Amino acid sequence: CQSTFGFIMTEREERRFAEVPRESIKLMAESSGVELSEEVAALLAEDVCYRLREATQNSSQFMRHAKRRKLSVEDLNRALRWSNTETICGYGAQDALPFRPLKEGELFFVEDREINLVELALATNIPKGCAETMVRVHVSYLDGKGNLEPQGTVPTAVQSLSEDLLKYYQQITRAILGEDPHLMKVALLDLQSNSKIAALLPYFVYVISGVKSVSHDLDQLNRLLHMVKSLVQNPYLYLGSYVRSLVSSVMYCILEPLAASINPLNDHWTLRDYAALLLSHIFWTHGDLVSGLYHQILLSLQKVLSDPVRPLCSHYGAVVGLHALGWKAVERVLYPHLPAYWANLQAVLDDYSVSNAQVKADGHKVYGAILVAVERLLKMKALSLTLAAEGSGAGLPGTTTGAVGFRENSPGLSPPPEPLSEPPLGIASHLQAGGAGCPWEEWTPVSLPAMYCELYSFFGDSLAVRFSTGPPLGGATPPGPCQPLEGRKEPASSAPNLENTRKMPQLTASMNISPRRDGSPRSPLSSSSRPGRSTSQSRDIFPKARFPLPQAGPPAFSFIIGGRQMGRRCQGRRFQTSFTPTPPLTTHPPRAYAHKLPVIGRVSKPVRRWTCSHYSLHLPL
Amino acid sequence: MAAVQDGPMELDAEKEAKPEILSDGTSNLSGNTASGTLSSSPLTAAPAGGAPKMEDQQTLIAVLQFLKRNKLSESVEILRREAGLGEHQEGSQATDGSGGGKGDGDGGDANSLLSRVSITSAAAPQSMPVKKDQPDVSVVLSAYSQQGDPPLYQVYYSGLKNFIESVLDCHRAELSQLFYPLFVHMYLELVYNNHETEAKAFFDKFSGDQECYYQDDLHILCGLTKKEHLKGNEVLLDFRTSRFVLHISRDSYQLLKRHLQERHNNQIWNIIQEHLYIDIFDGMPRSKSQIDSMSGSLAGEAKREVNKAKVFYGLLKEPEIEVPLDDEDDEAENEEGKPKKKKTKKDSLGSKSKKQDPNAPQQNRIPLPELKDSDKLDKIMYMKESTKRIRLGPENLPSICFYTFLNAFQGLTAVDFTDDSSLLAGGFADSTVRVWSVTPKKLRKVKSAGELNVIEKESDDVLERIMDEKTASESKILHGHSGPVYGVSFSPDRNYLLSSSEDGTVRLWSLQTFTCLVGYKGHNYPVWDTHFSPFGYYFVSGGHDRVARLWATDHYQPLRIFAGHLADVTCTRFHPNSNYVATGSTDRTVRLWDVLNANCVRILTGHKGPIHSLAFSPNGKFLASGSTDGRVLLWDIGHGLMIGELKGHTDTIYALKFSRDGEILASGSMDNTVRLWDSMKAFDEVETDDFTATTGHIHLPDNSQELLLGMYHSKSTPVTHLHFTRRNLLLAAGAYNSQ
């Protein structure tokens, strides 16, 4: 009888609810064989309306207490039952009932199809039982911070991988480690932006930790590093303690004498540079996740640097790593080590035997890297001093705006802005409390002139050229007095970049990740702001007269100056290979630091070993 | 009725009503409803008539006879004395008039007393023999038999409207309160007297003027056009049986009175006298916002005197427990940690035990169960945990864990956690209750009696041996109810679980055997909520029958019935000191009841929708309530004042919880969010000075945005329950809603 049940909805103006008209009542009565008079029908209709409304109002209470938003047939039935009315049957289905209009009669009815019970009973596709009710817990917000774990991800500890995720993981890893560069790019992009892969993070981290097993394959290493980059850049991922694991993988690429570097044709230098940049990126964006990370990184870099047994490429990695971590790191680790290390390097560079050619080329690499790092150290230190001198009130805003501008300008993997102050997060305190045996614990700041003097004694005019003397590189006009403010701001932001791009022929390709590698546009600063503002700035800071250069500063390293000048003409890497040392080595005057060499003790020995040419660079492998 | 109604008769009526209720657990008749019934009379509506004196006497005599017949001799005495009928003759009116009268409204006072008397006579012969559950409908409705001129109703109303709109601003807001109750009563009067078309016209003309928060009621009202319909409609019966309470300053009231007398507007004056209770106060008229914040309930605001009773909201003294320090200390504590911990423990214990809180009730005001050894152990655990508690604050928000119920096709309707957060119970619409262990420890049943006999009772691990390892599982299902389970509550000792259901029963389950121990019958209608006392043993339940009941687990009948709500009791909560019970209702009021004598000691109005969640602050001083309109209101229990309004949620608030130290209030809602509020700030900012305390007028700063510390979305999971662990981790629970 339900199917004959129909309403005619009328919307009278003065009432805001549906009414059952008397015609419907009469029809219903007729269908059950009762004849109603007009009057009775009208009364009944009104009463039915009222009762329906009442039942609906009562049923809403059941809905509210069931904590639902949707009123169900069950709610209405309960309301009817409690008001001692018969309940309606047959409408308990979850899916919505189609309510259809009949065009001719302005009649609306519920579609009610006949169901063949026999068919239903004999049907072979028995519906599956519904899944069991269960409770899952997940940490939604840690310490009330909402940005920690985005919605829709479940902590890895609880979640088992779904089929889809598993498939995704396979596809992504295959694409990244596979041959097709286009596919790899797509996969990396997705990895960088996908918000639902939190569960896969440990798996990816595991894959990345495979760097140790593919150290012979530069290409694979590169791909894995890119994977790291994508993961680090994914804003939806909370790396947590996985940062440590990622950092150790990256450090491996920076420091280890990779099997791939046996073949001098393999450009593992670029890989190291890239890894160093990645390291600084991870550190600056995620360093706060692991306490003492900075300290640990510095410690391991320093260890490599002070270990003369390590091959030069490892040393190179340590230097670029320090450089990437900022000038403070250079000042604290590299600079104090320089005297000791220098002798080592010197020995390599001074060995002209044919068998040493390869090692020597590597030595030049290290030399270049050190030079770059040291130069920036000087520059930043000078900058910080001038800023401090000009008053912190004026100086600080300048640096901050500069830093912000930098960040905006180069979204990709460019070296992070360097704070002139200590890195935040109380890293300094880590260092102070680092425990005994930390070589930089007794570190005391060296004054800038002293530092410059000392460095000058190593690098000679090659340093001077860069800072104060030498031909103007960009053909810049002498600095006018009108620049102080601008000049102050500018170096903070662009100095590192400018240095990288313009002043170090050796490292052009390495310190500035080329677009083809990271896909990020070259920072506009590096390409556009060529005018020698920073040179002029550096002049401001380093007026030659300010530093009394050591009297005994003969051009002991004249060959290097020559190389520099050559390098300016040649571009980038080629400089390395075409570099030809000219002067004989015997003419060295005794250096001020010569007496310090024995302190290291082991220094002389490896030098000897290196010079005797049978030494294999990659012995540790 | 202008003047304060004087007590004796009312007390009397309640005295009569109470024993009856207590003796008959199934009766729905409540003290207040009964007295409400008594207060409206068909006869006194026209005091001008000459007849009433004769009738009054007759009815009085009839009542006396009735009382005598029922051997209620004390009442007879009181009634005699009261009505001055001792010598069978009148003079009653005169004494009453002079005795009870004060202020302006005393003309009506005598009438009211008499009317109550007369109505009792009218009601008694009809209703008592029939033993109806509801207050007698015909009597209530017959209040409308007095007819004015139906077409003139519109004129009356608009006349008053024009007057109110023309008065000074300061009075307009106050007098505007009259609109809604007058409108409803006039409309009902028209309907009752079969002036259907006039009623419709009246409704259409003036329904738009009413405050938006009365929309729900207007909706019900507009569907009602026949006298017959009035009989079955509970909401409107409630409206009848209770007087709509208004707070109006004396100046405004006199303005109104003068106006009505000048105009000879008796129709409205009569309605005001019969159906409204105007609580007159001296002082400045209230502003619109002040009025709006307090109004909205079904029966207007609370009378001031009902909130005057002293409430002992302080906490009970913590029992002295010898804390076994060294041997029990967990291994994580090192040498340095130990002395410190001892100290803090002593402090926390000492401060509570030495200084008896002046606001705390007597320790034995309510007999409480004695602590068992296991309870003491649990207390020690609690103290240990609380030393590790994270101190929350605006800068230090809690972490939130969300317990999502997946595949809850049956419909999750209620959730509760144990205090130590080890167990989770869910009530479902399919009549089942499910218990989960949220720790690695699985749920095990006790072995059967036969197996238990075999166990050596003296062994150390007897408690372990009695458990049946075969039954270990993560969750257990409890079958027994025959309707959706709307409320679940764990006992503090984790041995029992309560569940209340649509089938009208509350069930007590054992968590040792996972079987039903008792079914408490009494409500006979859906039981919306139940809650265990913080000390165990007692529990409270509230339901569709508009009463809340206090039970003890070992009594199958209720110990107390808290009657007075005008609509369903939707949620119930015990005060931390177990001496009071708070109930929230569909009539949009929160009431606080004294467990000792079942008196209603606080009526808190201000909500604009049914109240679905309540939470006491841990120090017992404050109460938070959340309703369907998405607002949380904060109350000072001692003063009975609203002290805060937290706006932000966009849907019904089903869960409220204070953090363990009370610094943070968490609210969970149907809108899939958990919000954290700075409750310390909210409580601190409102300084309740003497003035506000006496007048009850509050200025609420609109600072919801400042107080909101955080808003946390779930993906598609309404928040059904919130719980702070002992270390202040916030647990939220809800069923994932895939639609």
Side-chain angles (χ1 to χ4, degrees):
Chain A
C1 91
Q2 296 286 359
S3 56
T4 61
F5 193 72
F7 285 109
I8 297 176
M9 317 269 285
T10 52
E11 196 73 33
R12 283 203 231 153
E13 272 164 26
E14 68 267 34
R15 292 277 183 246
R16 275 163 300 172
F17 40 77
E19 295 199 344
V20 184
R22 62 191 70 161
E23 290 82 12
S24 303
I25 299 287
K26 281 177 92 175
L27 277 173
M28 280 181 248
E30 266 172 40
S31 70
S32 50
V34 184
E35 197 71 36
L36 289 183
S37 74
E38 207 46 46
E39 207 177 319
V40 173
L43 279 173
L44 263 179
E46 202 153 353
D47 198 53
V48 164
C49 285
Y50 175 74
R51 300 292 165 203
L52 275 175
R53 275 196 299 278
E54 199 181 29
T56 322
Q57 273 152 9
N58 290 341
S59 61
S60 70
Q61 194 155 36
F62 289 94
M63 173 190 77
R64 278 206 305 271
H65 280 282
K67 299 178 170 112
R68 265 183 282 121
R69 276 196 202 87
K70 196 169 151 192
L71 190 71
S72 71
V73 179
E74 188 63 17
D75 293 331
L76 192 73
N77 270 341
R78 288 189 197 289
L80 291 175
R81 210 174 293 141
W82 283 109
S83 52
N84 292 323
T85 317
E86 262 180 69
T87 57
I88 53 169
C89 301
Y91 289 87
Q94 291 292 317
D95 15 290
L97 292 168
F99 199 57
R100 292 183 188 284
L102 197 68
K103 274 191 186 126
E104 298 85 60
E106 219 190 295
L107 187 71
F108 297 84
F109 62 94
V110 174
E111 199 177 51
D112 197 3
R113 268 172 294 150
E114 279 180 18
I115 293 170
N116 189 338
L117 283 177
V118 178
E119 240 172 58
L120 195 70
L122 298 178
T124 47
N125 55 338
I126 298 161
K128 271 187 269 178
C130 53
E132 204 189 335
T133 310
M134 54 172 127
V135 183
R136 275 282 152 84
V137 61
H138 46 99
V139 179
S140 304
Y141 296 93
L142 259 185
D143 294 335
K145 285 196 196 79
N147 55 356
L148 226 59
E149 193 137 2
Q151 276 310 297
T153 58
V154 182
T156 47
V158 184
Q159 171 156 4
S160 51
L161 285 183
S162 71
E163 285 285 306
D164 291 344
L165 274 177
L166 218 61
K167 220 182 261 173
Y168 176 86
Y169 167 76
Q170 283 167 353
Q171 302 270 6
I172 285 283
T173 43
R174 227 173 269 161
I176 291 178
L177 300 177
E179 296 301 309
D180 187 347
H182 178 69
L183 211 58
M184 177 184 97
K185 214 175 273 178
V186 173
L188 285 174
L189 268 180
D190 190 73
L191 209 56
Q192 199 174 319
S193 54
N194 199 322
S195 61
K196 302 182 182 64
I197 52 168
L200 288 174
L201 182 60
Y203 297 83
F204 284 131
V205 170
Y206 177 74
V207 168
I208 288 164
S209 69
V211 283
K212 282 154 199 154
S213 54
V214 292
S215 71
H216 57 278
D217 190 341
L218 269 186
D219 199 37
Q220 293 283 23
L221 286 175
N222 230 322
R223 285 157 186 267
L224 287 175
L225 282 182
H226 277 98
M227 203 157 154
V228 174
K229 192 195 103 186
S230 290
L231 289 178
V232 167
Q233 287 188 333
N234 189 327
Y236 302 101
L237 279 182
Y238 173 63
L239 295 180
S241 54
Y242 290 118
V243 165
R244 204 178 282 273
S245 167
L246 288 179
V247 162
S248 80
S249 295
V250 172
M251 293 280 275
Y252 181 89
C253 292
I254 298 177
L255 294 178
E256 287 308 309
L258 304 168
S261 49
I262 298 176
N263 184 350
L265 293 179
N266 277 337
D267 188 7
H268 58 104
W269 308 104
T270 318
L271 182 82
R272 290 178 202 276
D273 293 339
Y274 180 66
L277 269 183
L278 199 55
L279 176 71
S280 78
H281 183 71
I282 295 175
F283 171 67
W284 288 108
T285 51
H286 293 78
D288 51 335
L289 293 178
V290 181
S291 60
L293 187 66
Y294 183 74
H295 178 86
Q296 284 172 12
I297 294 175
L298 283 193
L299 203 63
S300 51
L301 289 175
Q302 189 249 353
K303 223 160 107 192
V304 170
L305 202 59
S306 60
D307 185 356
V309 185
R310 291 265 192 163
L312 284 169
C313 55
S314 289
H315 291 158
Y316 175 84
V319 173
V320 293
L322 285 169
H323 179 65
L325 283 177
W327 65 277
K328 286 266 176 190
V330 175
E331 187 181 15
R332 293 205 170 180
V333 181
L334 180 61
Y335 175 71
H337 258 278
L338 210 49
Y341 186 73
W342 191 255
N344 227 332
L345 188 60
Q346 190 74 47
V348 174
L349 292 180
D350 290 354
D351 183 358
Y352 290 99
S353 60
V354 180
S355 58
N356 192 41
Q358 183 57 42
V359 178
K360 197 164 154 222
D362 290 356
H364 280 300
K365 270 287 198 187
V366 180
Y367 176 85
I370 294 177
L371 191 57
V372 167
V374 164
E375 271 170 10
R376 193 169 57 155
L377 164 65
L378 281 175
K379 210 170 263 183
M380 296 303 288
K381 202 166 164 73
L383 189 62
S384 70
L385 285 177
T386 44
L387 281 186
E390 281 179 33
S392 55
L396 279 177
T399 46
T400 47
T401 48
V404 169
F406 187 89
R407 201 163 273 164
E408 281 167 358
N409 282 338
S410 52
L413 251 190
S414 35
E418 278 210 50
L420 289 170
S421 54
E422 286 290 332
L425 326 162
I427 283 158
S429 63
H430 275 298
L431 288 178
Q432 306 307 341
C438 282
W440 54 80
E441 215 187 11
E442 307 88 43
W443 173 81
T444 44
V446 184
S447 74
L448 184 59
M451 186 184 278
Y452 185 76
C453 290
E454 188 172 347
L455 288 174
Y456 188 84
S457 72
F458 292 129
F459 296 99
D461 277 352
S462 70
L463 203 59
V465 161
R466 279 144 201 283
F467 286 98
S468 47
T469 59
L473 287 169
T477 52
C482 59
Q483 279 188 337
L485 195 129
E486 206 181 354
R488 210 189 324 131
K489 273 187 192 170
E490 194 64 62
S493 59
S494 62
N497 245 4
L498 284 175
E499 268 174 82
N500 296 343
T501 48
R502 334 184 26 238
K503 298 201 172 167
M504 285 117 220
Q506 301 98 320
L507 290 175
T508 307
S510 53
M511 291 317 287
N512 209 20
I513 296 295
S514 62
R516 109 191 109 79
R517 263 173 224 292
D518 67 349
S520 71
R522 182 181 277 249
S523 98
L525 262 182
S526 58
S527 56
S528 63
S529 57
R530 285 258 152 176
R533 200 178 275 151
S534 80
T535 25
S536 55
Q537 171 63 23
S538 67
R539 282 189 184 193
D540 276 345
I541 298 168
F542 292 92
K544 189 146 192 188
R546 213 193 272 171
F547 302 107
L549 291 178
Q551 299 303 325
F557 306 102
S558 58
F559 65 97
I560 294 168
I561 298 170
R564 269 324 119 187
Q565 279 156 353
M566 247 178 102
R568 221 181 309 127
R569 256 176 281 118
C570 314
Q571 280 299 311
R573 201 151 300 284
R574 247 184 65 214
F575 163 75
Q576 285 299 321
T577 46
S578 63
F579 180 78
T580 45
T582 36
L585 81 155
T586 46
T587 53
H588 283 310
R591 276 189 311 276
Y593 291 95
H595 67 279
K596 284 190 182 175
L597 295 183
V599 176
I600 307 293
R602 284 152 69 198
V603 168
S604 56
K605 218 163 118 202
V607 168
R608 218 179 302 129
R609 270 175 62 199
W610 286 0
T611 44
C612 65
S613 82
H614 295 300
Y615 173 73
S616 162
L617 242 189
H618 309 292
L619 210 58
L621 282 180
Chain B
M1 182 62 37
V4 176
Q5 305 227 348
D6 48 350
M9 188 58 206
E10 194 143 358
L11 279 179
D12 200 14
E14 273 175 15
K15 259 184 209 160
E16 276 178 39
K18 278 235 173 76
E20 196 180 290
I21 291 164
L22 291 175
S23 61
D24 176 13
T26 60
S27 164
N28 286 318
L29 192 68
S30 65
N32 276 22
T33 348
S35 64
T37 314
L38 298 177
S39 63
S40 48
S41 142
L43 300 172
T44 49
K53 278 185 188 169
M54 265 313 275
E55 276 178 30
D56 284 348
Q57 279 207 5
Q58 283 170 359
T59 48
L60 274 175
I61 290 162
V63 173
L64 282 171
Q65 280 169 352
F66 173 79
L67 292 175
K68 272 181 195 158
R69 197 163 62 239
N70 285 294
K71 300 204 172 79
L72 298 163
S73 55
E74 256 185 65
S75 305
V76 172
E77 284 292 7
I78 293 166
L79 182 58
R80 269 215 186 117
R81 206 169 51 238
E82 199 51 31
L85 259 179
E87 273 63 57
H88 293 286
Q89 278 317 317
E90 46 183 270
S92 62
Q93 261 184 320
T95 51
D96 269 297
S98 58
K102 52 174 173 181
D104 302 287
D106 55 359
D109 205 25
N111 286 337
S112 81
L113 185 64
L114 268 183
S115 73
R116 276 183 279 164
V117 173
S118 59
I119 201 67
T120 328
S121 70
Q126 287 167 21
S127 62
M128 291 307 180
V130 188
K131 266 278 178 196
K132 278 195 180 177
D133 270 8
Q134 297 289 341
D136 196 76
V137 174
S138 62
V139 175
V140 174
L141 293 178
S142 61
Y144 287 126
S145 62
Q146 206 276 328
Q147 285 200 38
D149 195 1
L152 281 182
Y153 272 44
Q154 287 196 30
V155 180
Y156 293 150
Y157 190 86
S158 48
L160 185 73
K161 192 177 148 193
N162 290 337
F163 161 71
I164 290 176
E165 277 167 0
S166 66
V167 298
L168 283 174
D169 279 0
C170 61
H171 299 301
R172 190 193 304 151
E174 286 212 311
L175 293 180
S176 299
Q177 297 178 80
L178 282 168
F179 282 139
Y180 176 68
L182 277 181
F183 170 80
V184 176
H185 282 291
M186 290 173 88
Y187 177 76
L188 291 179
E189 202 157 320
L190 287 172
V191 169
Y192 186 77
N193 294 319
N194 289 322
H195 303 297
E196 198 176 323
T197 46
E198 283 91 348
K200 268 183 193 166
F202 183 78
F203 188 92
D204 293 338
K205 188 156 181 197
F206 298 114
S207 64
D209 299 344
Q210 310 305 328
E211 297 285 351
C212 54
Y213 42 79
Y214 291 121
Q215 277 307 317
D216 286 350
D217 290 344
L218 290 180
H219 242 84
I220 296 171
L221 209 60
C222 76
L224 191 128
T225 51
K226 288 265 185 290
K227 188 179 174 181
E228 292 75 33
H229 298 160
L230 276 174
K231 285 184 184 163
N233 198 313
E234 286 168 5
V235 176
L236 298 173
L237 277 180
D238 290 337
F239 208 85
R240 298 289 98 260
T241 54
S242 61
R243 289 180 163 225
F244 199 92
V245 181
L246 305 168
H247 288 199
I248 290 184
S249 71
R250 188 172 296 282
D251 293 348
S252 305
Y253 177 70
Q254 273 167 352
L255 209 62
L256 172 76
K257 200 179 154 197
R258 211 177 307 136
H259 167 76
L260 291 177
Q261 279 172 352
E262 276 169 17
R263 294 291 202 83
H264 301 289
N265 203 340
N266 284 329
Q267 197 63 38
I268 286 184
W269 186 241
N270 285 343
I271 291 181
I272 290 177
Q273 290 209 313
E274 283 165 39
H275 298 297
L276 269 51
Y277 181 101
I278 297 183
D279 203 346
I280 298 166
F281 61 87
D282 296 306
M284 287 286 288
R286 293 186 296 169
S287 69
K288 178 95 175 82
S289 65
Q290 278 179 321
I291 292 169
D292 278 349
S293 69
M294 296 293 288
S295 55
S297 101
L298 195 62
E301 300 180 38
K303 296 176 197 173
R304 270 176 302 158
E305 77 258 16
V306 297
N307 285 345
K308 288 275 187 280
K310 165 103 174 132
V311 173
F312 302 99
Y313 55 79
L315 299 183
L316 293 179
K317 218 164 55 176
E318 286 286 325
E320 300 277 352
I321 296 173
E322 288 290 316
V323 182
L325 280 166
D326 299 324
D327 51 335
E328 285 276 334
D329 263 356
D330 34 342
E331 53 287 6
E333 291 303 314
N334 52 15
E335 291 299 316
E336 290 169 316
K338 272 179 188 170
K340 239 186 212 171
K341 226 171 107 187
K342 270 186 217 166
K343 232 179 213 172
T344 54
K345 258 182 216 161
K346 266 180 195 156
D347 281 351
S348 66
L349 271 178
S351 63
K352 271 177 195 162
S353 54
K354 274 171 203 159
K355 274 187 281 168
Q356 170 76 21
D357 188 343
N359 292 308
Q362 287 279 312
Q363 202 70 12
N364 53 358
R365 190 165 178 266
I366 304 291
L368 292 172
E370 279 195 12
L371 285 184
K372 291 176 290 201
D373 284 352
S374 59
D375 297 332
K376 285 178 184 163
L377 271 177
D378 201 52
K379 279 250 189 289
I380 292 165
M381 279 304 294
Y382 176 80
M383 281 177 218
K384 276 186 186 167
E385 288 275 300
S386 51
T387 55
K388 296 174 191 158
R389 182 179 297 163
I390 294 165
R391 189 119 186 118
L392 298 179
E395 279 80 43
N396 198 8
L397 296 178
S399 300
I400 306 176
C401 274
F402 208 110
Y403 285 81
T404 313
F405 287 74
L406 301 173
N407 306 321
F409 310 107
Q410 322 82 348
L412 179 74
T413 44
V415 180
D416 194 29
F417 282 97
T418 51
D419 187 70
D420 68 346
S421 318
S422 63
L423 298 178
L424 170 67
F428 289 86
D430 70 348
S431 315
T432 57
V433 178
R434 286 156 205 254
V435 183
W436 280 269
S437 168
V438 294
T439 59
K441 203 176 149 195
K442 296 201 165 171
L443 301 174
R444 293 171 302 178
K445 290 183 187 177
V446 170
K447 285 176 183 165
S448 68
E451 289 170 275
L452 284 177
N453 270 334
V454 188
I455 295 172
E456 188 191 332
K457 270 133 200 120
E458 299 304 313
S459 64
D460 289 339
D461 58 343
V462 67
L463 287 177
E464 188 60 28
R465 286 197 197 184
I466 58 170
M467 306 312 287
D468 189 354
E469 204 55 51
K470 282 180 300 222
T471 59
S473 63
E474 260 181 34
S475 80
K476 294 262 185 262
I477 305 183
L478 308 174
H479 295 281
H481 280 296
S482 59
V485 179
Y486 291 122
V488 287
S489 178
F490 280 105
S491 73
D493 61 1
R494 296 188 296 284
N495 283 327
Y496 305 104
L497 174 69
L498 278 174
S499 63
S500 71
S501 160
E502 192 247 9
D503 62 14
T505 63
V506 178
R507 280 176 188 271
L508 182 74
W509 308 86
S510 163
L511 297 181
Q512 302 295 332
T513 60
F514 293 97
T515 52
C516 182
L517 301 176
V518 196
Y520 302 94
K521 295 174 185 173
H523 276 288
N524 288 342
Y525 284 97
V527 189
W528 298 131
D529 198 10
T530 185
H531 189 230
F532 243 115
S533 149
F535 298 93
Y537 187 62
Y538 299 109
F539 65 92
V540 61
S541 65
H544 182 60
D545 60 357
R546 306 190 228 176
V547 297
R549 286 159 203 258
L550 178 84
W551 311 75
T553 46
D554 56 359
H555 287 62
Y556 65 92
Q557 283 189 324
L559 304 179
R560 297 284 184 276
I561 291 182
F562 306 116
H565 274 298
L566 299 172
D568 301 33
V569 177
T570 47
C571 53
T572 54
R573 276 292 168 279
F574 253 100
H575 190 277
N577 68 18
S578 197
N579 278 254
Y580 297 91
V581 162
T583 56
S585 162
T586 316
D587 69 8
R588 308 189 286 267
T589 63
V590 176
R591 284 174 188 244
L592 192 71
W593 309 87
D594 193 336
V595 167
L596 184 67
N597 49 23
N599 283 340
C600 176
V601 289
R602 290 286 180 272
I603 301 179
L604 309 170
T605 64
H607 272 296
K608 315 286 190 261
I611 292 145
H612 275 271
S613 50
L614 289 169
F616 280 100
S617 68
N619 61 7
K621 270 177 93 168
F622 304 104
L623 177 67
S625 57
S627 79
T628 55
D629 60 7
R631 298 181 321 147
V632 177
L633 296 185
L634 303 173
W635 310 91
D636 180 320
I637 295 171
H639 297 96
L641 287 179
M642 185 195 300
I643 53 167
E645 179 187 15
L646 307 175
K647 283 184 276 194
H649 280 294
T650 56
D651 210 329
T652 307
I653 296 162
Y654 280 117
L656 278 173
K657 194 81 177 185
F658 281 96
S659 66
R660 291 286 174 158
D661 296 320
E663 300 101 334
I664 301 261
L665 173 66
S667 61
S669 157
M670 274 290 269
D671 64 11
N672 299 350
T673 61
V674 173
R675 286 172 208 241
L676 302 178
W677 310 89
D678 191 343
S679 53
M680 284 320 264
K681 197 173 165 198
F683 295 146
D684 286 345
E685 277 188 4
V686 180
E687 275 306 313
T688 50
D689 53 30
D690 290 340
F691 173 73
T692 51
T694 49
T695 57
H697 303 164
I698 37 145
H699 272 292
L700 282 185
D702 186 17
N703 55 354
S704 298
Q705 283 317 305
E706 295 162 39
L707 297 178
L708 180 65
L709 298 177
M711 177 173 78
Y712 305 105
H713 287 277
S714 66
K715 199 173 181 190
S716 178
T717 312
V719 184
T720 318
H721 188 77
L722 289 170
H723 176 79
F724 274 97
T725 66
R726 289 171 174 177
R727 298 188 190 186
N728 265 340
L729 173 71
L730 179 56
L731 309 181
Y736 177 68
N737 182 5
S738 52
Q739 286 146 11

